[in-house]
Amino acid sequence: MLISRRNTVAWAMGTVAAMFAVTGALAQDGPIRIGSITTLEGPFATGGQDAYRAMEMAFEAIDYTIGGRQIEWIRESSNATPDVALARARKLIEQDEVDIIIGPLSGAEGIALRDYSRTLEGKTIVNGSSGAADTTLRDPSPNFFRFNTEGTQWMAGLGTYAYEEMGSRHVALVAADYAFPYAQVFGFMHEYCELGGAVTKLWSPLNTTDFSSIIAQFPSDVDAVVLIQGGTDALAFLTQYAEVGGDLPIIGGSITADQTLLSARGPHQSLMEGMVAAGPIADLNEDPNWQDFVARYRERWGSEGFDSPSIHAVNYYTNTIAVIQALEEVGGDLSDNQAAFQAALAAAEFTAPTGANVALDHNRQAISDIFLTRIVNDGGTMRTEAFGRTPNVSQTLGMDQDAFMALGSPSRDNPDCPPAR
Amino acid sequence: MGFAGRAEEENVSLQFILTVTLNGLTLASLYFIVASGFSLIFGLMRTVNMAHGSLYMVGAYVGFAVYDPLYASDVWASHAWLIGIAAGILAAALVGLFMQVALLGWMQGQELRQALVTIGLSIIIADQLLALFGGNPFRFFTPELLFGPTELPVIGRYPIFRLFQVVLAVAVGIGLWLLLNKTKLGIVVRAGVDDRQMLAACGVNVPLVAATVFALGAGLAGLGGVIGATAQPMALGVDARFLLMSLVVVIVGGMGSIGGTALGALLIGLAEQWGQVLFPTYSVILTFVIMATVLAVWPQGLLGRKPT
């Protein structure tokens, strides 16, 4: 056979081009690879476990297929520190070659992955449950989406309730000294201080076990305690407060009344009953969407799961169904650097398992409903019950973005409304 | 700073100063109970035991496993806490005994080896506790008799249990002092610290003595575990905290001195509570500032013996 040199080159190039076309088509028909990161290690391990239960339910509901394409789910774990979350995200993108990452769980991790998402082309990161405000508020990334609300939003309505319904005028605020509580404190004080309330702030390092000297600092004229602590810290505070015979009403943060606190028996229970708080979920919520979700959760997980799905389960579920719906809308098409998929995500509007409507703002941050909750003794089991609802809370709490930004970033000293002397 | 704004105000009253100081004292009591066991093992016997925090945790977890079903039953509820304490001490002492006899005894004097072995053990123990008991935090309920506040002069209402911690720590301290200074075992132990070979040549069964002291130290960690888990919630991860605390207390106080351990615990307990009040954000550092200062000025610790 006589083939000229030029022809050979042309033929070879043609073959290579054809091969690319074939693999390109294969990638479009092959499985959609979704990676996820949650905390199966460290302080939030039980919450992370629950997050994966919810994700599993979301994928099982569609039988791991979208538009005829299989979904391949690759699970990773972090320990709630940003550097580990980042390393696992890199592993998912570079080694497992996933198209989409769902995660992470904790605040600082979220900011790390937001920054990482900016360096990626044709990949999308959808938040899991992390709730730091700045992840989407300041310096947002075009391919980072968050369908759950965050720490500041979660407090919507609580400051007003404390001032107007409880008649509180001066609270002692006991909060852990890091980014997430800053956001929560900001959300509470934004309303409470505006109305004229005074706040004495008492910060404690995360993992404080002895609050006795903080309790000793309560001014004598406070009429309520705002407790922005989670897990064992909240349990330690309430027990020690009960032990000195404290009897002021307690107002909680969004992660204060979690399963750690609700399921533990002990003297803190007398203080806890009736504790009001605000957040994206409540155990007892008459909305049929929630009733249905809880029923499915209990049926699927039985005694292996919690008594009621946790906040992390709900957040991961909400973000996962956003991804699934957007993928269904574009028929699993992730070509063109996921342009169509990302557009579908940005325009998504749906109902979360709590019954709240979810839509995104221009920073790809959820606008959704926030519940006022109260701890009730539900036949021997402590549960949170929704008794109020603030609809469509935006990240700027209904303010114009520029005016809201002018209030400054939440911190130890911002906002501030100390008692008058 | 949260405090500076209020410094001149109502809060800095005598009552406030006394309350925070008493808080420091009661916290120091818990630290002393745990660290005194560490002082016996590390300070006296010079066995490096990086698993002391794990022994603390073993005491709390096993104690709770025994306590919880008893507390739920009607008959035993009133004694559940005491039985829990006994179970906690016993479990920690047995684990300690195993560590000394099976692993650490034959590597006496090889500090690096002991450190690595015990660090390994602490990781294994933490994972086993996670597998057996899960990751949920728990706590013991203060027995009826010790629950609630009592009226103190000037201070006002103060939790009885915290005062009980002080009483217990004093009892442990006196007990240990008597044991080491007034009994035959104490004489043998102190002799063993000075010259192990000569003691063995005198016909004393040195490994037996070492095992006894180790079990005693471990049992104290177990006691601390149950007391600690009654005062504060217990969760995985406290092992590192209490190991670090024990190290700091023993190093500050001086190796092998019960009085030194008490002084070290007092300093650290007070520093933690006052640090929390004066500069909450940086209070964690204060402990280490104290340790660094003491090491710079008195390398053998405040009450440690000068090397001969």
Side-chain angles (χ1 to χ4, degrees):
Chain A
M1 220 198 223
L2 239 169
I3 303 172
S4 75
R5 189 184 183 83
R6 186 178 297 168
N7 272 347
T8 316
V9 173
W11 183 79
M13 279 170 68
T15 316
V16 170
M19 275 167 63
F20 269 116
V22 169
T23 48
L26 268 182
Q28 253 344 281
D29 296 335
I32 300 172
R33 298 167 80 89
I34 299 182
S36 66
I37 299 174
T38 195
T39 54
L40 299 177
E41 310 146 54
F44 304 124
T46 49
Q49 237 177 346
D50 206 38
Y52 275 174
R53 285 190 199 112
M55 276 187 81
E56 211 165 323
M57 284 169 62
F59 287 133
E60 279 171 359
I62 53 160
D63 203 18
Y64 291 89
T65 22
I66 286 173
R69 287 179 72 182
Q70 194 75 24
I71 288 185
E72 206 172 298
W73 177 24
I74 299 147
R75 311 175 187 213
E76 263 302 339
S77 159
S78 164
N79 62 357
T81 58
D83 50 328
V84 173
L86 182 61
R88 301 295 156 89
R90 282 227 156 89
K91 183 244 170 200
L92 284 172
I93 295 283
E94 289 165 16
Q95 268 172 268
D96 301 320
E97 296 179 344
V98 300
D99 304 302
I100 301 157
I101 292 179
I102 298 176
L105 182 135
S106 177
E109 293 180 305
I111 291 176
L113 290 206
R114 187 268 322 261
D115 290 341
Y116 177 54
S117 73
R118 209 178 283 120
T119 69
L120 300 170
E121 212 171 305
K123 308 278 184 188
T124 306
I125 299 186
V126 178
N127 188 53
S129 187
S130 82
D134 284 355
T135 313
T136 50
L137 186 61
R138 288 174 176 79
D139 200 13
S141 155
N143 49 347
F144 188 94
F145 296 76
R146 182 157 67 181
F147 291 90
N148 61 284
T149 41
E150 41 88 339
T152 309
Q153 291 171 290
W154 287 349
M155 294 302 259
L158 192 59
T160 309
Y161 181 83
Y163 191 89
E164 283 177 355
E165 306 297 323
M166 295 171 67
S168 161
R169 293 295 176 265
H170 181 192
V171 293
L173 183 144
V174 182
D177 197 3
Y178 69 102
F180 175 72
Y182 297 163
Q184 292 245 289
V185 168
F186 187 95
F188 175 81
M189 289 179 64
H190 180 71
E191 293 177 13
Y192 187 77
C193 296
E194 182 90 340
L195 288 167
V199 177
T200 296
K201 288 187 258 183
L202 297 163
W203 299 103
S204 68
L206 185 61
N207 294 329
T208 295
T209 47
D210 195 340
F211 285 92
S212 47
S213 291
I214 283 185
I215 294 169
Q217 288 179 73
F218 283 7
S220 51
D221 65 333
V222 294
D223 47 34
V225 178
V226 178
L227 181 66
I228 316 283
Q229 303 272 358
T232 45
D233 293 16
L235 182 58
F237 172 84
L238 285 176
T239 312
Q240 285 153 14
Y241 190 56
E243 240 164 12
V244 292
D247 51 8
L248 292 173
I250 311 279
I251 300 167
S254 306
I255 60 164
T256 307
D258 66 358
Q259 284 300 327
T260 302
L261 199 64
L262 293 172
S263 57
R265 292 173 299 144
H268 66 282
Q269 286 190 321
S270 60
L271 282 169
M272 225 173 59
E273 207 175 327
M275 180 181 106
V276 291
I281 73 162
D283 296 341
L284 303 175
N285 171 355
E286 280 165 14
D287 194 289
N289 288 290
W290 178 251
Q291 300 280 339
D292 172 60
F293 180 68
V294 174
R296 281 192 291 134
Y297 175 92
R298 290 202 179 128
E299 191 191 12
R300 175 66 181 83
W301 298 108
S303 60
E304 198 185 320
F306 289 139
D307 172 58
S308 181
S310 67
I311 190 170
H312 300 302
V314 171
N315 286 339
Y316 269 79
Y317 190 84
T318 307
N319 283 296
T320 307
I321 54 174
V323 168
I324 291 174
Q325 283 185 5
L327 280 172
E328 276 172 346
E329 208 177 303
V330 298
D333 175 17
L334 293 174
S335 61
D336 193 17
N337 277 343
Q338 306 190 347
F341 168 65
Q342 291 187 353
L345 270 182
E349 191 161 353
F350 58 96
T351 306
T354 54
N357 187 61
V358 182
L360 293 191
D361 67 9
H362 60 283
N363 286 336
R364 292 158 299 285
Q365 161 64 41
I367 300 172
S368 193
D369 303 353
I370 301 300
F371 298 95
L372 281 175
T373 65
R374 173 193 292 133
I375 296 181
V376 291
N377 190 337
D378 184 25
T381 310
M382 292 293 197
R383 290 201 167 93
T384 58
E385 178 190 52
F387 69 93
R389 182 160 168 168
T390 316
N392 300 322
V393 178
S394 72
Q395 196 172 20
T396 53
L397 307 176
M399 291 171 70
D400 173 63
Q401 167 135 4
D402 291 334
F404 185 78
M405 298 294 256
L407 296 176
S409 196
S411 74
R412 210 172 290 135
D413 307 309
N414 182 43
D416 206 19
C417 56
R421 310 238 145 86
Chain B
M1 292 271 92
F3 184 72
R6 278 193 312 283
E8 316 82 278
E9 300 294 326
E10 67 206 289
N11 266 341
V12 183
S13 58
L14 182 64
Q15 179 196 10
F16 180 67
I17 292 171
L18 281 179
T19 309
V20 176
T21 307
L22 189 57
N23 287 339
L25 182 70
T26 50
L27 185 64
S29 304
L30 172 62
Y31 286 177
F32 172 74
I33 295 170
V34 181
S36 64
F38 191 70
S39 182
L40 280 182
I41 295 168
F42 179 55
L44 263 181
M45 289 166 44
R46 301 292 147 121
T47 302
V48 182
N49 177 20
M50 293 292 149
H52 194 69
S54 311
L55 294 170
Y56 173 87
M57 235 165 42
V58 165
Y61 273 85
V62 175
F64 190 75
V66 173
Y67 162 87
D68 200 38
L70 289 180
Y71 183 78
S73 82
D74 299 333
V75 192
W76 290 97
S78 51
H79 299 94
W81 192 66
L82 288 176
I83 298 171
I85 288 187
I89 295 175
L90 195 67
L94 285 176
V95 173
L97 198 62
F98 166 80
M99 279 166 57
Q100 169 67 15
V101 172
L103 299 166
L104 299 174
W106 55 270
M107 44 182 95
Q108 184 66 39
Q110 305 173 47
E111 275 128 16
L112 185 59
R113 202 169 185 178
Q114 288 179 333
L116 289 176
V117 166
T118 47
I119 287 172
L121 269 177
S122 70
I123 295 170
I124 295 172
I125 291 175
D127 276 349
Q128 292 310 309
L129 290 176
L130 176 64
L132 277 172
F133 297 100
N136 281 332
F138 64 85
R139 57 178 300 165
F140 293 85
F141 304 125
T142 317
E144 208 66 36
L145 191 66
L146 300 174
F147 180 76
T150 179
E151 283 292 325
L152 289 183
V154 188
I155 289 174
R157 288 187 299 186
Y158 200 80
I160 303 173
F161 188 77
R162 294 187 78 105
L163 298 173
F164 169 74
Q165 276 170 247
V166 182
V167 176
L168 190 66
V170 169
V172 167
I174 293 175
L176 277 181
W177 185 83
L178 288 176
L179 183 75
L180 287 176
N181 292 296
K182 301 286 171 202
T183 66
K184 180 131 183 292
L185 178 69
I187 296 168
V188 171
V189 169
R190 284 181 293 136
V193 171
D194 290 336
D195 195 331
R196 210 165 237 276
Q197 277 160 338
M198 188 54 84
L199 186 67
C202 294
V204 174
N205 185 347
V206 176
L208 181 69
V209 173
T212 312
V213 176
F214 203 105
L216 181 64
L220 282 171
L223 171 67
V226 179
I227 300 294
T230 312
Q232 313 170 344
M234 168 65 66
L236 291 164
V238 296
D239 49 349
R241 222 187 96 213
F242 273 87
L243 170 66
L244 201 61
M245 178 279 296
S246 301
L247 268 169
V248 174
V249 164
V250 169
I251 288 170
V252 167
M255 303 265 275
S257 152
I258 295 300
T261 307
L263 187 62
L266 205 56
L267 261 177
I268 301 303
L270 285 172
E272 265 189 30
Q273 290 293 319
W274 273 108
Q276 208 179 51
V277 170
L278 294 173
F279 29 89
T281 312
Y282 307 103
S283 60
V284 191
I285 308 169
L286 190 59
T287 314
F288 297 101
V289 171
I290 292 178
M291 184 170 88
T293 313
V294 167
L295 282 180
V297 184
W298 303 276
Q300 70 284 352
L302 292 176
L303 297 183
R305 282 195 296 180
K306 285 216 166 58
T308 41

